[in-house]
Amino acid sequence: MSAAKVVLYCLLAFVVAVIGALAFWVFLSDPEFVLFRLFAVLTCGGAISVCVSQNVVRMAFSLVLTLGSTAVLFLLLGADFVGATQLLVYVGGTLVLLVFGVMLTATGPFTRIKSSAADGILSGLIGVVFLFIVAGTVTSVDWDGGN
């Protein structure tokens, strides 16, 4: 193993240790904050995995992760009815049917979705434009109500 790799691994271990220590400190102060951030990251990661994956079965399971994490976010925010509805309707109903449908048709020609680099660039640009539209809308709203 080269010296550069050893230094890189040591630096990576140090960064992980610092992040772990900070997460432990935050966990001791407010565990609800840590859980909210964890499930927010899981939601975003699952959504990105749905968009990036080329295997339909993996997309379905990533969608289960995304919708389940969204339900937990609703439950953490105190919206118990919305969280339970999210779990029952989307995760419990729609995605079970989707997974069984995908598993039954997994031998067909649509198990792998091929896309070109131009498709990825176009979808990335559309995503960035949508992000700016949402950010502009969120920043232009008077959230205090004139206070």
Side-chain angles (χ1 to χ4, degrees):
M1 185 182 294
S2 69
K5 282 186 178 181
V6 171
V7 170
L8 181 66
Y9 288 141
C10 288
L11 182 64
L12 182 64
F14 176 73
V15 169
V16 167
V18 168
I19 291 173
L22 287 174
F24 184 72
W25 177 71
V26 169
F27 184 72
L28 287 177
S29 64
D30 190 10
E32 214 172 276
F33 175 77
V34 174
L35 286 175
F36 184 84
R37 297 289 182 196
L38 174 72
F39 283 105
V41 167
L42 283 175
T43 301
C44 293
I48 290 170
S49 178
V50 168
C51 295
V52 171
S53 180
Q54 292 183 348
N55 189 338
V56 177
V57 177
R58 288 186 184 146
M59 285 180 190
F61 283 117
S62 296
L63 193 58
V64 168
L65 174 71
T66 302
L67 294 176
S69 298
T70 304
V72 173
L73 288 176
F74 283 132
L75 293 172
L76 284 173
L77 290 173
D80 296 335
F81 179 75
V82 178
T85 304
Q86 174 90 10
L87 276 175
L88 289 173
V89 172
Y90 290 109
V91 179
T94 307
L95 286 177
V96 168
L97 290 175
L98 176 68
V99 168
F100 280 118
V102 166
M103 297 253 182
L104 289 174
T105 61
T107 59
F110 299 112
T111 54
R112 308 249 337 137
I113 299 173
K114 307 253 192 255
S115 60
S116 66
D119 292 337
I121 292 170
L122 180 63
S123 61
L125 287 174
I126 291 171
V128 168
V129 167
F130 182 69
L131 175 68
F132 281 122
I133 290 171
V134 169
T137 304
V138 167
T139 56
S140 68
V141 170
D142 182 23
W143 295 102
D144 293 333
N147 293 331

